[in-house]
Amino acid sequence: MFTCLFGVYKMSVKNSTAIARSHNTELAEIFHRMAACYRYLGPEHRFRAMAYEGAVKTISNLREDISVYATDVSSLDNLKGIGESIAEKILEYLDTGKIKTYEKLKKEVPQDLLELMDINGFGPATIKILHESLQVNNREDLIASIELGRIFKLKGFGEKRVENMKRGLKLFKEFHTRMLLSDALELGNEILLEVQGLTGVQKAMLAGSLRRMKETIGDIDIIAIAERKNWKKIITRLLQSEKVGRILASGDTKASFLVKNSTVQVDIRLVQEFEFGAALLYFTGSKEHNIHLRLMAKEKGWKLNEYGVFDVKTDKWIAGHKEEDIYKLLDLEFIEPELREDRGEIELALKNKLPKLIESRAICGDMQMHSMWSDGAESIETIARFIEKEFPQYEYIVITDHSPSERLARGLNPQDFIKQFDEIDEVNKKLKKDFIKKGVEVDILANGDLDLPDELLSQFDWVTASIHSLFNKDNTGRLIKACEHPFVHCIGHPSGRLIGKREAYTVDWVKLLQKAADTNTAIEINAQPNRLDLKDDLVKKAIELKVTITISTDAHDLNQFKFMQLGVAVARRGGCTRKNILNTNPWKSIEAFKENKHRLMSK
Ligand code: DGT
Ligand code: CA
Ligand code: CA
Ligand code: ZN
């Protein structure tokens, strides 16, 4: 799960009941803040901070409300990552609604400083110095001390470091005004369901950037069809929903509100059936796409707006019932929402040359995931049985635990991998098929070497190589060296960005992608919601250069396998067809892909 708990993202914790949501979510948030307090207090509290983060992870993944497990200290003790002391705090919280230790910590550590530790470039030690020497108490103070140059008086704060801090602040701000696609999808679909359930609503759809599946979302847009006479009633009833917080605007045809306890805005518009296509087209955007279409209509003597297509001279209505009708009228192929960014899709549609975009149902397997052997939450058998049941279309999954230098992620030693191979063989035997593939996410070291010996690497079914260090450097050389390695099949999360937290490191993309194509090395679209890496425009570049792409969830627990749809969305936005994506094929084609690289590299 994504654990930035200072924004709207706290709503992404998924549980089956409303109570579970509030207990588990609130407790996870308290523990996350406690961990941050301990980090702030200094390295001697490091283990406590880690213990609380561990508990956050466990609680966030519970399928039931925490109270179900909380009969006494020892029953909680049985949960992974929860020791006696934390168990006591959980009971205290369930009993009194408060945790005394936390109340005490709140007095010791200025709470507005905690969110600053989530910003790249601001560790606890830095924040402490800023607080103690410059009386920085929150983000505003920090910005002021940078702008007024006071920060340069401190030892160790030179131009370069402060530049880096400014970039971190900028990312943070962008992040807090936009949501991750995954959170917006979940929330958007919940609200959509409510709208669809209102009496009088005949049909409702998500529009805006959410329908285009952009990686971050500013606000949620919904279009609904209803007869005009019912509009007022529908708006009134919707605004009475318990999901609605502050109402921003409310008229006869539309309403805007903030979702309760959050800063997420929802815009909803009601239309009549015959104008639905025009409204959907308009409010799906993008704005640039719309402007381009409107110009085309104008050249034909028509006017295109959110109500329909009209003849300029007579004002006569020509079309607008369906999006398809409007594209057809303009001599265009239907353009999928993910492509509507005016990045060349209209020109292709004119020539009937749009790619037939990949769909989720074409995915045959997941190419990256972590088990309990490293930092995943579940055993290999549990993962395999879950996938068999929930993703029956999958023919294989690849377990890719970390290599030794990833100590924080409990990376495996070579001998552990050999033991893991035996376990995979055993589980496959139980499943009566060759379902689980032996993979690894091997670290690319500082000099571009890999973190495991060739002799071991050659035994894996699938080797993904990724960078987990030196994010401030140009990493073209390291990645190219990894591509040139004969046993590397794929580059994982190639740009290293974390949306809103860490910018991508510098890479000469054309050079790298060309190398990937030349060496028959695949490039991953990592579907973790805060990665979505490779991102859409680089995916486009990659397929132009004939690079093979994989989509994988990099799941660390069972709830994360559903992220595949986000990876597919990125691929679609990049214009991928089924053919561009390696894991739309049976495993024997993947073997052939590996064989090709082998042949190329031994030339
Ligand atoms: P977001 O919410 O920032 O993630 O992005 P969108 O694309 O959802 O933008 P939003 O919610 O402001 O507006 C929804 C759609 O409405 C947008 O994609 C296109 C259309 N739209 C909004 N304002 C304008 C405008 O000034 N001109 C045109 N042509 N279309 C607009
Ligand atoms: Ca929007
Ligand atoms: Ca909007
Ligand atoms: Zn990784």
Side-chain angles (χ1 to χ4, degrees), residues 157-394:
F157 287 79
E159 286 289 344
K160 207 167 161 195
R161 180 159 178 201
V162 173
E163 262 321 301
N164 194 27
M165 292 169 81
K166 278 192 195 160
R167 276 213 305 277
L169 277 165
K170 187 166 157 260
L171 275 177
F172 184 84
K173 186 168 160 229
E174 282 165 13
F175 182 52
H176 276 247
T177 49
R178 299 184 68 80
M179 276 175 285
L180 291 181
L181 173 61
S182 62
D183 294 325
L185 262 182
E186 188 173 330
L187 190 58
N189 278 316
E190 275 177 30
I191 294 167
L192 181 66
L193 265 179
E194 281 209 15
V195 172
Q196 287 166 337
L198 294 171
T199 319
V201 170
Q202 296 159 23
K203 179 177 177 154
M205 273 178 80
L206 295 172
S209 51
L210 197 45
R211 183 161 177 246
R212 305 198 312 278
M213 300 288 271
K214 246 184 101 160
E215 61 191 34
T216 63
I217 305 295
D219 67 8
I220 295 170
D221 301 283
I222 295 177
I223 311 285
I225 303 180
E227 279 181 53
R228 201 169 214 155
K229 63 178 185 352
N230 295 326
W231 286 2
K232 208 166 182 163
K233 240 184 348 202
I234 290 172
I235 299 266
T236 311
R237 234 173 298 118
L238 175 65
L239 292 176
Q240 285 162 355
S241 155
E242 63 172 50
K243 288 212 169 58
V244 176
R246 192 151 66 86
I247 295 167
L248 304 172
S250 152
D252 292 344
T253 67
K254 60 181 182 182
S256 294
F257 60 86
L258 297 183
V259 176
K260 195 172 256 171
N261 298 325
S262 83
T263 51
V264 179
Q265 181 175 334
V266 179
D267 288 342
I268 170 150
R269 278 157 242 264
L270 297 175
V271 298
Q272 301 174 83
E273 194 172 3
F274 71 90
E275 57 192 6
F276 179 70
L280 187 62
L281 183 68
Y282 182 89
F283 291 109
T284 295
S286 66
K287 195 169 153 186
E288 292 72 20
H289 180 87
N290 289 351
I291 290 171
H292 194 152
L293 292 185
R294 217 176 307 149
L295 276 175
M296 289 177 68
K298 204 170 162 195
E299 275 164 21
K300 294 184 190 279
W302 301 324
K303 187 174 75 189
L304 168 64
N305 59 28
E306 66 252 59
Y307 305 105
V309 183
F310 302 86
D311 187 301
V312 171
K313 285 200 197 103
T314 62
D315 232 7
K316 210 182 119 224
W317 180 92
I318 303 171
H321 188 173
K322 287 185 174 159
E323 279 185 333
E324 283 84 348
D325 305 341
I326 299 173
Y327 281 114
K328 204 163 171 189
L329 200 66
L330 296 172
D331 283 325
L332 295 169
E333 260 183 291
F334 179 77
I335 302 177
E336 300 278 1
E338 290 92 332
L339 292 178
R340 300 182 194 169
E341 301 289 348
D342 199 22
R343 292 194 287 205
E345 74 280 5
I346 294 175
E347 290 75 3
L348 287 178
L350 264 173
K351 290 186 274 185
N352 262 310
K353 285 205 165 137
L354 280 174
K356 189 171 173 341
L357 300 184
I358 179 192
E359 295 183 45
S360 286
R361 60 167 191 264
I363 299 290
C364 293
D366 194 338
M367 305 297 283
Q368 181 174 178
M369 65 193 64
H370 298 268
S371 77
M372 261 163 74
W373 282 80
S374 68
D375 58 344
E378 305 290 347
S379 71
I380 293 174
E381 179 164 359
T382 304
I383 294 171
R385 296 210 183 268
F386 175 83
I387 297 286
E388 267 199 309
K389 186 158 159 272
E390 300 293 327
F391 295 82
Q393 77 197 46
Y394 285 6

Side-chain angles (χ1 to χ4, degrees), residues 181 185 213 360 527 553 561-570:
L181 173 61
L185 262 182
M213 300 288 271
S360 286
T553 62
F561 289 102
K562 63 173 188 287
F563 295 156
M564 185 56 83
Q565 63 156 327
L566 306 175
V568 170
V570 174

Side-chain angles (χ1 to χ4, degrees), residues 3-6 26-37 39 52-53 56 114 118 501:
T3 50
C4 172
L5 294 172
F6 298 107
E26 195 171 85
L27 201 53
E29 175 163 0
I30 292 176
F31 283 173
H32 181 61
R33 297 190 78 100
M34 287 175 77
C37 289
R39 277 199 291 142
Y52 277 100
E53 280 306 351
V56 169
L114 297 184
D118 269 0
K501 285 204 166 175

Side-chain angles (χ1 to χ4, degrees), residues 368 370 375 400 402 406 441-443 464-468 492-493 524 526 531 554 556:
Q368 181 174 178
H370 298 268
D375 58 344
T400 53
H402 290 283
E406 272 304 281
E441 180 182 11
V442 63
D443 233 56
T464 289
S466 339
I467 284 181
H468 295 108
H493 46 72
E524 176 186 72
N526 186 301
R531 286 195 184 271
D554 194 2
H556 287 67

